[in-house]
Amino acid sequence: MPRDKLTKFHNKFSEEAEEVITKFFPEKVAELDGLLKSGQFSMTKIPEVHSKSIIPISHPKDGKYNDVDKHTNKKRKLSHGEEIEQMAELVAVDLVPCNQFIQDLVILLKPNIQILMEKCNMIKMWIQLLIPRIEDGNNFGVSIQEEALSEVQRIEGEAASFLDQIARYFVTRGKIISKVVKYPQLEDYRHAVQELDEKEFISLRLCCCELRNHYLILHDTITKNMEKIKKPRSNNAETLY
């Protein structure tokens, strides 16, 4: 009985995988191509990418800086507790918002990245289940399976790197924003935030393009070699010996 259930699962899994390749992949290519050509990813949107959120500039409380001696004009060393108290007094920041324009694109693309990884995992397992037992000779079809499997694994890894890129952007932006809050008089940090946002927009646009290309490559590679992937060894192989 367990073997019968496993066979049924194997057959159903194979049907689903083939449907993903023949139907789902072309649909995603068209969807992502339309998204890429939409106004959301147009290069003319770059001026809108720059965050319009205002990062408040800290001002001294009652016009006095506690860490500066007016007579000597020298900074006094503060304990850790005094530094925290002074920051609370000087900087009244409840929330520094993220770049909403970038955030909306991330929300749009992130599910597509996750879906690609999920489908790659499915196709990878499908190909692995089709690999026949190890034998001498007649392994040309097996080599095609291995090549296809390698391509799927490569694309799955690249999709995972897109998620890492998004996480690094927010961490990097947070560090620069903290510098802006700490040194509000330095405009370079503010420009650095704008440059980072612009760079991330271009990266997300490229990510959308790569997602489309990945689906197209997977569909093209697998459909062209479908016969050898499904039947890597010919049925009359035994007659050759």
Side-chain angles (χ1 to χ4, degrees), residues 31-50:
E31 177 188 333
L32 290 167
D33 187 60
L35 182 61
L36 186 63
K37 293 176 180 177
S38 68
Q40 289 175 290
F41 287 95
S42 172
M43 294 300 288
T44 59
K45 290 283 187 180
I46 287 182
E48 298 180 30
V49 173
H50 300 153

Side-chain angles (χ1 to χ4, degrees), residues 158-170:
E158 286 194 15
S161 70
F162 293 149
L163 295 178
D164 291 337
Q165 169 194 311
I166 291 172
R168 285 196 303 271
Y169 159 73
F170 286 111

Side-chain angles (χ1 to χ4, degrees), residues 78-116:
L78 301 175
S79 66
H80 182 65
E82 288 175 322
E83 286 181 352
I84 294 175
E85 183 180 354
Q86 187 184 62
M87 286 297 293
E89 290 178 350
L90 296 179
V91 184
V93 179
D94 293 328
L95 175 67
V96 178
C98 63
N99 187 319
Q100 192 59 48
F101 189 94
I102 297 294
Q103 179 69 7
D104 290 342
L105 294 183
V106 169
I107 293 172
L108 185 64
L109 283 181
K110 198 171 180 181
N112 284 287
I113 298 172
Q114 293 168 336
I115 290 172
L116 176 60

Side-chain angles (χ1 to χ4, degrees), residues 14-54:
S14 297
E15 290 176 4
E16 291 176 355
E18 289 183 40
E19 187 174 356
V20 164
I21 295 165
T22 57
K23 295 182 180 179
F24 182 78
F25 283 177
E27 290 173 359
K28 292 301 290 184
V29 170
E31 177 188 333
L32 290 167
D33 187 60
L35 182 61
L36 186 63
K37 293 176 180 177
S38 68
Q40 289 175 290
F41 287 95
S42 172
M43 294 300 288
T44 59
K45 290 283 187 180
I46 287 182
E48 298 180 30
V49 173
H50 300 153
S51 178
K52 295 179 181 179
S53 61
I54 299 174

